[in-house]
Amino acid sequence: MGIIVMRNTMNKKKKHSRYLAYAGIALLLIGIVAAVLFLKDPDQATTVSDTTYTDYHTHTYEDVDYAYNSSITTILLLGIDSEDPDNEQGQADVISLLLLDRENEQIELLNIPRDTMTEILLSDIQGNSLGWQRQHLNLAYAYGRTPEDGCMNTAQAVSRLLYQVPIPKYAAIDLSRIDEMHAIVGDLEVVIPNDSLSYLGRGWREGQTITLTEENLETYLRSRDTEENFSNTDRMERQEAHLKAYIGRLKELLETDQEGTIRKVSTLLEDITTNISYSDVQVYSEMLLSYGYDPETDIHLLPGTDTVGELHDEYEPDKAQVEEMVIELFYRKESE
């Protein structure tokens, strides 16, 4: 089994984190959201001022006025590193934002590294607010007293990071659902994009094609060397390869057995934390069956730079590039 493999290799080779970091979850949640369209302890924190942002409806960038594209629906997708969220809140190790553009009939996915340093809303053990502080983004979920609170905390932090664009919907899934998610599409073939798992043997080296099964999926998606700086970067690259394979298989299944595939995915809706209703799913499904999506161009990474923090890796957003990306994804010139 995958967990056994991880434990054996940990003893022989390297230590690996127990974090989920499961970008494939994002794609599955796209399927859930669209009725399977086709597709606690904080680290040291730095207190920041409660910055007041301009209203998101308009944004001036390089002396040009832009209007928010109100045809976009945004959905926050989270993968949580807890096997029992009722007893262990966990952290958000996958953070992705799904954009559904009704006007242009287009799908975009923005991946945000878990180590992104940004303002999150902290609270004490009684739930009293400690205000906004600069911290790792993945901790925003952990500060929620319930999974729902964690989702809303993370949505607020991501919105704040992206100049207050609205994020009304969320869906989060925890570690215990990996096997169920994998079973929906079955085994997948991917080309390994880097050598971060080469210690497992020749078949795990960069450029090798590997079949992902229930036995090795967890190792492929979750493992990283925590003694190596920025190991999450290589892990995210592996996850993106899985994401592309998952999209392709999900499309095939919907084309050949849409009703059966929807039925399989719908059973997960009751087991995840979400404010997406069944009526939402029906609407999204009708909207998205014909939407455009290209995994080579429509998956984006929050612009930034990996840095070595005092205690942990940090991902420092490039504010200028983030603003430019926000304009590109969420806005249009007011005259248009």
Side-chain angles (χ1 to χ4, degrees), residues 71 98 131 184 257 296 331:
S71 71
L98 175 65
I184 290 173
D257 184 17
E296 299 300 324
Y331 287 84

Side-chain angles (χ1 to χ4, degrees), residues 59-131:
H59 192 99
T60 300
Y61 176 69
E62 295 185 345
D63 297 325
V64 178
D65 292 330
Y66 291 86
Y68 181 75
N69 181 359
S70 59
S71 71
I72 291 178
T73 296
T74 53
I75 305 166
L76 183 68
L77 308 173
L78 303 176
I80 309 304
D81 71 343
S82 170
E83 296 188 34
D84 185 3
D86 291 332
N87 295 318
E88 179 187 359
Q89 181 72 354
Q91 301 176 5
D93 274 2
V94 173
I95 306 170
S96 296
L97 192 64
L98 175 65
L99 283 68
L100 311 175
D101 188 339
R102 299 184 301 277
E103 180 178 336
N104 298 309
E105 297 189 347
Q106 184 68 29
I107 299 170
E108 307 275 355
L109 187 68
L110 172 61
N111 291 326
I112 305 174
R114 63 183 296 279
D115 296 322
T116 297
M117 299 302 295
T118 189
E119 299 171 21
I120 69 173
L121 188 60
L122 305 189
S123 59
D124 62 21
I125 194 170
Q126 285 80 33
N128 301 311
S129 176
L130 299 176

Side-chain angles (χ1 to χ4, degrees), residues 8-248:
N8 287 342
T9 55
M10 283 172 64
N11 292 333
K12 294 180 180 180
K13 298 289 184 178
K14 302 179 179 180
K15 294 181 180 179
H16 303 289
S17 73
R18 287 289 299 169
Y19 295 140
L20 177 60
Y22 186 22
I25 290 174
L27 198 280
L28 180 61
L29 289 175
I30 292 174
I32 294 173
V33 168
V36 224
L37 54 107
F38 70 79
L39 20 97
K40 237 150 284 97
D41 292 331
D43 300 324
Q44 294 177 344
T46 302
T47 302
V48 297
S49 61
D50 189 1
T51 307
T52 301
Y53 293 99
T54 57
D55 181 75
Y56 75 88
H57 289 93
T58 60
H59 192 99
T60 300
Y61 176 69
E62 295 185 345
D63 297 325
V64 178
D65 292 330
Y66 291 86
Y68 181 75
N69 181 359
S70 59
S71 71
I72 291 178
T73 296
T74 53
I75 305 166
L76 183 68
L77 308 173
L78 303 176
I80 309 304
D81 71 343
S82 170
E83 296 188 34
D84 185 3
D86 291 332
N87 295 318
E88 179 187 359
Q89 181 72 354
Q91 301 176 5
D93 274 2
V94 173
I95 306 170
S96 296
L97 192 64
L98 175 65
L99 283 68
L100 311 175
D101 188 339
R102 299 184 301 277
E103 180 178 336
N104 298 309
E105 297 189 347
Q106 184 68 29
I107 299 170
E108 307 275 355
L109 187 68
L110 172 61
N111 291 326
I112 305 174
R114 63 183 296 279
D115 296 322
T116 297
M117 299 302 295
T118 189
E119 299 171 21
I120 69 173
L121 188 60
L122 305 189
S123 59
D124 62 21
I125 194 170
Q126 285 80 33
N128 301 311
S129 176
L130 299 176
W132 290 89
Q133 298 185 18
R134 190 172 185 272
Q135 229 338 314
H136 289 80
L137 178 59
N138 67 317
L139 293 178
Y141 181 87
Y143 275 97
R145 303 190 70 181
T146 66
E148 290 78 11
D149 284 346
C151 288
M152 289 187 286
N153 283 355
T154 309
Q156 286 181 316
V158 173
S159 174
R160 194 178 182 93
L161 174 65
L162 302 179
Y163 295 87
Q164 298 290 47
V165 297
I167 304 176
K169 298 292 185 179
Y170 59 77
I173 194 162
D174 66 78
L175 182 60
S176 64
R177 303 300 172 186
I178 287 181
D179 289 344
E180 291 181 55
M181 292 184 296
H182 179 72
I184 290 173
V185 298
D187 295 347
L188 296 171
E189 286 192 352
V190 301
V191 177
I192 299 177
N194 55 55
D195 277 330
S196 57
L197 296 178
S198 60
Y199 62 88
L200 293 176
R202 301 181 66 179
W204 292 83
R205 293 178 180 174
E206 180 179 354
Q208 295 293 315
T209 298
I210 186 172
T211 300
L212 297 179
T213 67
E214 288 186 6
E215 285 71 29
N216 63 17
L217 179 65
E218 187 176 356
T219 299
Y220 177 87
L221 291 173
R222 296 178 57 204
S223 297
R224 69 184 180 111
D225 180 7
T226 57
E227 300 299 320
E228 180 182 346
N229 292 333
F230 319 134
S231 57
N232 189 56
T233 300
D234 286 340
R235 184 169 64 174
M236 289 185 68
E237 190 176 11
R238 297 198 312 265
Q239 294 157 0
E240 184 171 326
H242 174 264
L243 180 64
K244 293 176 182 178
Y246 203 110
I247 291 173

